[in-house]
Structures are given as C-alpha cells and as structure tokens.
C-alpha cells in the first residue's frame, strides 16, 4: 500500500507524494517555553515523532524542523513572577523540554530554531508583505497583516472571514480591521530592554505567527511537504501562518497534519479543573516507556484518554513484551545462535504492519500485529525444541516493529531505563530469586508439591512465573 496521510486542510486522506522524490520536508510547531511541558504537549510531539520514524523507515530522507518560541507575553509574565530574566527562564524551560523528550525516546529534530535568533528574517518577511500590499505599519512600532487583502484567508480552517476574529488580537485602536493580526508588536512600557529589537518600524518583538513563517522558509524552503502541530493551533496560529506565507508569494505547506487532543478522565486538561498533569509529574510515577505507549498507542488524530488506568495497562503490555524479548534472547544465546540476531532496521516488517502504518499511521492496527507476533514467539519458546535461528528472526521482526513506535525494549534507550531500577525492586528481586532457586531444586528432586506451593504463593502475591529452558523469570501481573 502506498503511504496515505490525512490533510487537515482538505479533510481527506490521500496518497503522499513529496515535492522531491525520496525526500520529505517537515515543519512542526514546537513549544512555547513559559513553563515545562505538560502531557498535552507531549501528545503532539510524540505523534509527529512516530511520523518521522515511519517516513525514515520507509526510505525517505527527512528534514525535520521543530521551532522554539522563546519570547512572548506569557514568557515575560511568568519570568517576572519568578523574578528571573526572561531569557534565563526561557532557556531553562527549553532545556527541560529537551530532556523530557529524550527520556521519552523522541528523535531529535534536524533543526530546532529559536524565534529570537531569526529577527532579521522576520524583518525581511514583513518588508516583503508591506511591499506586496498585505501588511502595514501603524506608525507606533507595530506591524499588522491585512486579512482582507488575501482572498485565501480562512481556507485552512474553512471559515468565513467575517467570523474570524482572534480575541487575543482584537483590542487595538491602531488596526485598520479588528481581524488583522500582529506581525510585530511594539515594545510596552515596563518590559525589559532585552525583550525588544530595533526595526525600520520601531522597537518591539515578534508576533507569534510571523516567527514560524520566517523560520519555515529558511529551513525547509518557500514550499515544503508537511506542516504539523496540535489541533488547537489550527486557528489562529496556523491559519495566520499560511496567510503570511501566501501573502509573501510562497507555496508554504503542501499538507497539514494535526494531532488530536489529550483528555484526563474524559475531560479536557486544565489547571482550573484540577486535572493538570506536567510531564515531570507523570514521569516521576511511571516509566517513560509506559507514558510513551499510553500516548502513541491511539491514532494520532483521535483524542487520547490519559489516566492511571491507561498507564497501568501500558505498563502491563510493556512488561509482557519485555519478558518475551528477554526469554527469546536468552534462548538464542543459550543455543549458540547469537550471530543470527539482526541489528534493528534490518528485518523485514510484516505486510499487515506496513499496511497499517501506511494507512494514515494506524498504530492500533500495527499494535495488533505486534501482539499477534509476540504470541507466536511465545509459542515457539514454550516448545523448547524450536530452531534458535527462527527465534532470532522473530526477535528481529518484533524489535523492528516496536522501533517504528519508538519502543524497542531491547534497545539502549529502554534497556538503560530498565536497568535504573530502584532499591525496592532490587530487594524484591533478590527475595524472589531465592524462592525460585528453592523451586528449581524441588523440581529437580521431583518434589512437585513443594514446587507448586512456591508457584501458588507467587500467584497469590500477584507475581507471574514464566519457565523457559534452564531458567525462570518473574513479573508482576498488574
């Protein structure tokens, strides 16, 4: 099946054909770093992480750009509350965001430009828009885009221009029309002198929308393949980005992709509702792999239900997958067939898995194939006489499918996380190991009653024992 992706602008799923054969240019709106990320942010960025992984696995050379908005009203306000310089506050939160994305196994963008590093490009962009009759300076230091000058305005969100007023932008007596939006904002009294730049129009700082148009042009060109972001950015941010770039005479994004939202116990997440979850909070309680699976396990365009139940289910799924892979790798090693193991990326993916991912990244269908192949591998391991080369082939296949989702549990990303166990887990493991040795001795002596009694005690305590050739492993049942 040819790769087919949804286009938010046309509201259809269609064959994906990049502008350049074999290459894909992708721009994703990144974080505004007034605070550390919450799980809603993580939902968006992990969705596009899977897209990048699948594009690369499919053989495309991907240029992946994700910007950082490091100055705006919210950042200035939060920094002032904390008594910190705004640039220090922004950078600290940018670092925190990067560290969290690393923990979640996200691939790093090829370019991660900051708004404050591209003021020159923004000035050039504004001058071009003014020359082409799509923008105007108000004489006080601000520059606005004239939405009435662009017939295509509203085409991304399919709205009539009469209904398109951004409340955050509406209050200005110097705009020609309340629907016009700021490209450049004049410096305000009381703001830090470091938070303004000199331009031909006056001192000030970037408007939110302008930065993305300017940086997209610089890093992926006047026309590029895919623009991504969260569904909440479609209006006004993405609509206005498109308007600026169209006004400048550029083709801009050929396809728009938007990830769905994240809900907590069926409700939109919000501080006022008491269900606001920061990424740091959830990662303090759950493994990064489980957080990742709970988020990417649903289709990227659907809303993700995120709560303790979904996280617990993800932990259980991962525990079973890890157990299968560990037993399989031990079986291959014990039978002297380690040379048959392939590096990640070298195994052939099942056709059903490929078709699922090519069908607008249908991860749920892809996971069904993963679980099916995991079950088949478990059956091979239970036979004890299976060909270790076949087991090795199955291990490679399973790892490659998981790697597409960023969850190769036998790879260094998650092996490192698994090895970073806490003292309580180590103590429990030591106690269980002692009991397993007693059980092994009882089985060797054909004392089946004692062996079964130990197994039953484990089961009553919620501990599952899995026997394989020459060894036993344990895991929690929930």
């Amino acid at each position: 099946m040819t790769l087919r992706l949804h286009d938010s602008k046309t509201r259809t799923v269609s064959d994906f054909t990049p502008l350049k054969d074999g290459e894909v240019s992708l721009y994703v709106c990144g974080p505004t770093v007034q605070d550390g990320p919450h799980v809603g942010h993580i939902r968006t960025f992990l969705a596009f992480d899977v897209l990048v992984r699948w594009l690369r696995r499919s053989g495309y050379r991907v240029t992946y750009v994700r910007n950082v908005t490091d100055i705006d009203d919210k950042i200035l306000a939060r920094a002032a509350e904390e008594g910190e310089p705004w640039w220090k506050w922004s950078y600290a939160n940018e670092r925190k965001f990067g560290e969290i994305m690393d923990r979640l196994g996200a691939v790093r963008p090829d370019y991660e430009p900051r708004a404050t590093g591209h003021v020159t490009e923004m000035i050039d962009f504004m001058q071009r828009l003014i020359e082409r009759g799509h923008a105007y300076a108000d004489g006080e230091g601000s520059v606005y885009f004239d939405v009435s000058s662009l017939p295509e305005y509203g085409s991304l969100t399919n709205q009539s221009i009469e209904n398109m007023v951004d409340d955050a932008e509406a209050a200005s007596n110097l705009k020609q029309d309340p629907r016009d939006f700021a490209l450049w904002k004049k410096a305000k009294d009381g703001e830090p002198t470091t938070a303004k730049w000199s331009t031909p129009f006056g001192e000030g700082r970037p408007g939110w929308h302008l930065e993305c148009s300017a940086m997209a042009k610089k890093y992926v060109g006047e026309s590029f393949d895919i623009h991504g972001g969260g569904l909440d950015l479609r209006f006004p941010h993405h609509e206005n980005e498109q308007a600026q770039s169209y006004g400048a005479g550029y083709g801009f994004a050929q396809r728009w992709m938007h990830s769905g939202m994240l809900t907590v116990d069926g409700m939109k997440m919000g501080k006022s509702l008491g269900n606001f979850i920061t990424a740091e909070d959830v990662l303090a309680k759950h493994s990064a792999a489980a957080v990742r699976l709970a988020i990417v396990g649903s289709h990227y365009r659907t809303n993700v239900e995120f709560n303790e139940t979904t996280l617990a289910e993800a932990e259980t799924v991962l525990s079973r997958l890890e157990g299968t892979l560990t037993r399989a790798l031990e079986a291959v090693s014990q039978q002297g067939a380690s040379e048959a193991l392939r590096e990640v990326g070298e195994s052939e993916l099942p056709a059903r898995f490929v078709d699922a991912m090519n069908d607008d990244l249908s991860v749920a269908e892809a996971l069904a194939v993963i679980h099916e192949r995991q079950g088949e591998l478990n059956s091979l391991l239970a036979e004890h006489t299976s060909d270790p080369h076949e087991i090795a082939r199955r291990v490679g296949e399973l790892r490659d499918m998981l790697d597409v989702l960023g969850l190769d549990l036998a790879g260094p990303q998650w092996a490192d996380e698994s090895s970073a166990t806490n003292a309580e887990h180590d103590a429990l493991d030591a106690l269980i190991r002692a009991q397993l040795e007693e059980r092994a001795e009882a089985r060797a002596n054909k004392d089946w009653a004692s062996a079964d009694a130990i197994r039953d005690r484990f089961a009553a305590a919620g501990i599952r024992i899995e026997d394989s050739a020459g060894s036993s492993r344990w895991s929690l049942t929930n």
Side-chain angles (χ1 to χ4, degrees), residues 136-412:
Y136 57 92
D138 68 358
E140 298 291 331
S142 294
V143 181
Y144 296 98
F145 185 88
D146 178 6
V147 300
S148 65
S149 70
L150 190 76
E152 299 96 329
Y153 190 69
S155 63
L156 175 61
T157 51
N158 196 28
Q159 298 183 74
S160 169
I161 189 173
E162 288 76 16
N163 301 323
M164 299 177 69
V165 178
D166 177 12
D167 292 338
E169 292 268 7
S172 172
N173 295 327
L174 297 175
K175 290 199 294 185
Q176 296 175 2
D177 187 303
R179 292 165 297 201
D180 295 347
F181 58 87
L183 300 172
W184 190 259
K185 295 183 177 182
K186 71 175 181 179
K188 298 178 183 177
D189 293 339
E191 289 183 344
T193 57
T194 54
K196 59 185 177 182
W197 288 260
S198 295
T199 76
F201 320 107
E203 288 191 333
R205 54 187 168 83
W208 179 28
H209 318 302
L210 177 65
E211 64 180 87
C212 285
S213 287
M215 289 189 284
K217 177 183 178 293
K218 179 171 182 175
Y219 291 96
V220 286
E222 296 180 4
S223 297
F224 57 95
D225 294 308
I226 302 171
H227 194 315
L231 188 63
D232 56 324
L233 297 183
R234 288 178 68 235
F235 183 82
H237 187 46
H238 288 166
E239 188 74 69
N240 291 349
E241 273 189 67
Q242 177 178 268
Q244 294 164 166
S245 296
Y246 281 3
Y250 305 139
F252 205 51
Q254 303 302 292
R255 182 182 301 263
W256 288 87
M257 296 180 67
H258 289 93
S259 60
M261 307 301 288
L262 183 142
T263 59
V264 178
D265 294 322
M267 301 179 68
K268 183 178 178 181
M269 189 176 66
K271 291 182 179 179
S272 62
L273 299 174
N275 64 353
F276 187 83
I277 307 174
T278 68
E280 283 188 308
D281 287 343
V282 75
L283 288 172
K285 298 177 182 177
H286 299 276
S287 72
V291 174
R292 182 179 179 102
L293 178 59
I295 289 175
V296 306
S298 301
H299 194 280
Y300 76 92
R301 285 192 285 119
T302 64
N303 288 343
V304 169
E305 175 60 22
F306 193 82
N307 55 38
E308 289 298 320
T309 299
T310 56
L311 286 163
E313 290 172 350
E315 295 277 17
T316 298
V317 168
L318 291 170
S319 176
R320 291 172 179 168
L321 283 165
E322 185 178 22
T324 296
L325 286 169
T326 302
R327 293 195 309 276
L329 289 168
E330 287 178 351
V332 171
S333 177
Q334 289 168 2
Q335 297 182 61
S338 295
E339 76 285 350
L341 293 169
R342 296 183 175 184
E343 295 293 329
V344 170
E346 295 181 350
S347 297
E348 183 177 353
L349 295 171
R352 283 178 50 222
F353 181 90
V354 173
D355 287 346
M357 294 302 295
N358 278 340
D359 184 16
D360 195 32
L361 309 180
S362 296
V363 170
E365 296 294 330
L367 279 168
V369 179
I370 288 174
H371 294 316
E372 178 186 283
R373 296 306 172 96
Q374 178 196 8
E376 293 172 358
L377 182 52
N378 283 335
S379 297
L380 280 175
L381 294 170
E383 292 174 6
H384 302 308
T385 58
S386 299
D387 178 1
H389 291 82
E390 176 61 14
I391 294 175
R393 185 189 71 79
R394 299 266 186 165
V395 166
E397 179 185 70
L398 186 56
R399 288 188 64 187
D400 271 28
M401 287 190 289
L402 288 169
D403 184 62
V404 168
L405 305 183
L407 287 165
D408 171 23
L409 301 175

